[in-house]
């Protein structure tokens, strides 16, 4: 061998030895970091020095190996603070990021952490571990971004803390665009997903795996041993939108949503624990599509209803496109235990579109106990396609004996978790198949097939209750004080212009509308404190060219406030059902509605009303001043009819100086539903209003109020409901009507301590009947020291 070859091979051996050595490099700023990462070889560890790293774009890349990864880590875990408008890109192979804290930032990028450089350079075999992202949000909550965008294959997200995402967009997304991210085998484990407030619309998921368009692709992502606490962003805490994923040993605590198998097939959901603590809207597992196995899950104290029920098996859409609802087929739901939860929903959400009930589905060996007497199950459509085998229910409620067998169960407490004892021979099941779990929720062999998630006399906690999630260094997270900066936006008339503006609303925004017609194409959901101000000739109406008309102009979400001023609402085009509606049924967070100098006309749908509150929703204040409600079926409907335990849709309803004219049924309905409601709740005040030709039928009621604490009606005119007998009936010591005029409108009735006084049964003598301006000889103008003027205040 000549000397040149000897030198060449010696150089190669030297390079190999150098590449295999582990090297630590400390960096103090982004310039030093960029130089270090560019020079990194397998085994290099780049140490970021403690302190604030603000407005940095960190790129972690290279070609590490399994034995010698490239590591980027904090000098002291939790003391390297990534702030401002910062982001991280990970790409290459075997890159590890650990110990960083993205804290209280103000980012403008679509991803905080992205596992790719571009569509060609992705991350494979990379790891994001023992980090924290907390309250890292843009000022504009409508700005859509993700904290983690996971691309490539065989990556791991573990032992991190993700707390306090408030803006639009999913917290963690697994992407399947392109072959380089399919069949990805990602592992998302041992993370703590902390509080995320309700977003009020879609896009508030904590984890989403896939998209509708790619939902038939296989992801093979495993989500295990994570904690989800107060993850309230939207109904889908986890949104499965791909195939062959596994969800196991996860803990869901007081989270207002569900693990949702939204799209895709063949998911395995097992050994998860859901504890709702009886918080409203806490759900369990919602099932759509086919081939899923759902077994050995424990669900306790979940208070969600409808699509947020503990277990929901949905109806599907015929020939469903990828983004709608595929029929539930070939699904196995076995050996789950439900304790004091809401009602299980089968064939849920049936409507004119979702007409396909579940088929070839098994519901077997499940154990349900409800000491609260709640209904065990509900079916909204044909459930003959579901086979029910050996399901046991312990309840005082009636059950369908074809679905459940009533039994009394002997329990023991494993700390706070009820577990059936060996004194339950009736829980031994004679049914099993190839999807029946061979072990129970704690991993113990099932020597005999026992109904429910636990073997009899189990002495171990499920893994979901014992795993340690989050980083080992335990960040002390304090929510930053949010200073709400008012924002003012001018909006021009046109098609959808208001919707585009509202989409970018901040926590407190005023929209100033010019004169003209605003054509609305869909219902607008209101979050935060929103004011919409028009001018003299500002009109909102439906766009005529809609395939499917919307239901209402505005829907106010929980904890939101809507202020409407100087606006005209026209309901005639497309026969719009409502002008304003409350949050959805059973969403009980307080909201507010203030209406000033607005008019509402031609809302004539016979199932609708101009303002509508749904069952189990509660407004703090509904205030209406200087407005008009005309030529409509109903005006204001606050009657929670469906609840039997006591509910009231509003604490305060205040109506002043407002006209109700040509209303077919009632002008105002304010009724408590059910029993056991606090008798001091409910305050109705109506003053200086006109009610002309309202509820004009013998049993009609202009103001229908019942069982509220206080009703005060004064200085009002009731006229021209010539068929009516009792336009107002008040009952109880908290009710009074004073200084009102009644003409061709029956007679006021008061009972059981209600007070009426100074009621004039006379002609009001209008000078201007259209605008209800009285003549000089009108009895409305008679005043003295004790009685105020009746009718509108000018």
């Amino acid at each position: 061998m000549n000397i040149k070859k000897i030198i060449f091979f010696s150089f190669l051996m030297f390079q190999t030895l150098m590449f295999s050595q582990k090297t630590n490099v400390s960096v103090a700023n982004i310039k030093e970091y960029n130089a270090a990462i560019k020079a990194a070889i397998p085994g290099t560890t780049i140490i970021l020095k403690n302190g604030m790293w603000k407005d940095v774009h960190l790129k972690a890349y290279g070609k590490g190996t399994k034995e010698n990864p490239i590591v980027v880590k904090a000098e002291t875990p939790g003391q390297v603070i990534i702030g401002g408008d910062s982001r991280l890109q990970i790409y290459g192979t075997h890159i590890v990021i650990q110990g960083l804290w993205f804290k209280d930032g103000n980012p403008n990028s679509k991803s905080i952490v992205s596992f790719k450089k571009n569509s060609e350079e992705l991350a494979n075999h990379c790891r994001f571990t023992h980090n924290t992202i907390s309250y890292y949000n843009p000022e504009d909550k409508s700005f859509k971004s993700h904290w983690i965008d996971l691309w490539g294959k065989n990556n791991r997200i573990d032992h991190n803390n993700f707390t306090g995402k408030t803006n639009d967009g999913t917290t963690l997304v697994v992407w399947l665009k392109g072959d380089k991210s399919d069949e990805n085998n990602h592992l998302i484990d041992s993370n703590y997903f902390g509080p995320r407030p309700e977003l009020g619309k879609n896009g508030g998921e904590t984890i989403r795996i896939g998209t509708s368009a790619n939902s038939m692709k296989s992801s093979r992502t495993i989500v295990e041993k994570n904690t989800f606490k107060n993850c309230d962003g939207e109904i889908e805490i986890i949104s499965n939108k791909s195939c062959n994923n596994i969800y196991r040993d996860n803990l869901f605590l007081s989270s207002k949503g569900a693990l949702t198998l939204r799209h895709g097939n063949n998911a395995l959901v097992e050994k998860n624990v859901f504890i709702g603590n009886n918080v409203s809207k806490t759900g369990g597992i919602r099932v759509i599509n086919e081939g899923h196995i759902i077994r050995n899950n424990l669900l306790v104290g979940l208070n969600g209803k409808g699509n947020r029920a503990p277990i929901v098996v949905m109806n599907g859409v015929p020939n469903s496109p990828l983004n709608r609802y595929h029929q539930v087929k070939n699904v196995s739901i076995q050996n789950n235990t439900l304790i004091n939860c809401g009602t299980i929903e089968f064939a849920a959400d049936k409507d004119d579109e979702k007409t396909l009930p579940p088929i070839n589905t098994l519901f077997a060996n499940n154990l349900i106990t409800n000491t609260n007497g709640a209904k065990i199950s509900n079916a909204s459509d044909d459930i003959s396609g579901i086979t029910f085998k050996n399901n046991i229910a312990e309840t005082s409620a009636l059950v369908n004996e074809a679905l459940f067998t009533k039994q009394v169960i002997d329990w023991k407490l494993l700390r706070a978790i009820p577990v059936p004892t060996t004194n339950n021979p009736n829980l031994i099941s004679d049914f099993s198949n190839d999807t029946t779990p061979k072990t129970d929720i704690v991993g113990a062999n099932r020597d005999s097939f026992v109904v429910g998630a636990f073997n009899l006399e189990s002495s171990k906690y499920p893994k979901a209750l014992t795993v340690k999630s989050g980083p080992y260094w335990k960040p002390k997270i304090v929510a930053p004080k949010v200073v709400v900066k008012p924002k003012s936006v001018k909006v021009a008339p046109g098609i959808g212009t208001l919707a585009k503006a509202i989409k970018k609303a901040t926590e407190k925004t005023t929209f100033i509308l010019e004169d003209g017609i605003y054509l609305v194409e869909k219902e607008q959901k209101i979050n935060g404190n929103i004011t919409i101000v028009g001018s003299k000739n500002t009109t909102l109406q439906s766009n005529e060219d809609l395939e499917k008309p919307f239901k209402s102009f505005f829907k106010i979400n929980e904890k939101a406030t809507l202020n409407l001023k100087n606006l005209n609402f026209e309901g005639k085009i497309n026969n719009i059902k409502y002008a304003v509606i409350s949050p959805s049924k059973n969403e009980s967070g307080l909201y507010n509605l203030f209406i000033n100098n607005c008019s509402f006309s031609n809302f004539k749908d016979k199932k609708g009303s101009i303002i509508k509150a749904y069952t189990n929703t509660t407004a703090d204040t509904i205030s209406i001043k200087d407005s008009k409600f005309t030529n409509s079926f109903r005006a204001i409907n606050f009657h929670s009819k469906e609840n039997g335990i006591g509910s009231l849709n509003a604490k305060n309803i205040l109506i002043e100086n407002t006209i109700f004219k040509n209303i077919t049924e009632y002008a105002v309905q304010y009724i408590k539903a059910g029993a056991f409601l606090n008798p001091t709740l409910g305050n109705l005040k109506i003053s200086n209003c006109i009610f002309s030709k309202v509820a004009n039928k013998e049993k009609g009621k202009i103001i229908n109020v019942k069982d509220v604490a206080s009703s005060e009606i004064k200085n009002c005119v009731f006229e021209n409901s010539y068929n009516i007998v009792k336009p107002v009936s008040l009952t109880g010591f908290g009710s009074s009507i004073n200084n009102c005029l009644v003409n061709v409108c029956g007679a006021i009735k008061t009972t059981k301590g209600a007070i009426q006084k100074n009621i004039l049964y006379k002609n009001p003598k209008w000078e201007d009947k259209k605008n209800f301006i009285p003549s000089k000889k009108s009895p409305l103008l008679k005043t003295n020291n004790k009685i105020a003027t009746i009718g509108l205040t000018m």
Side-chain angles (χ1 to χ4, degrees), residues 50-66:
N50 293 345
M52 170 63 75
W53 290 62
K54 188 175 182 181
D55 300 332
V56 294
H57 181 185
L58 294 167
K59 297 180 180 180
Y61 60 92
K63 295 189 181 298
T65 65
K66 182 178 181 181

Side-chain angles (χ1 to χ4, degrees), residues 140-144 167-168 201 502-506:
D140 183 355
K141 286 189 176 182
S142 68
F143 180 80
K144 187 175 182 179
N167 68 304
D168 196 351
K201 58 182 177 179
I502 289 176
K503 191 174 181 180
K504 296 185 178 297
T506 60

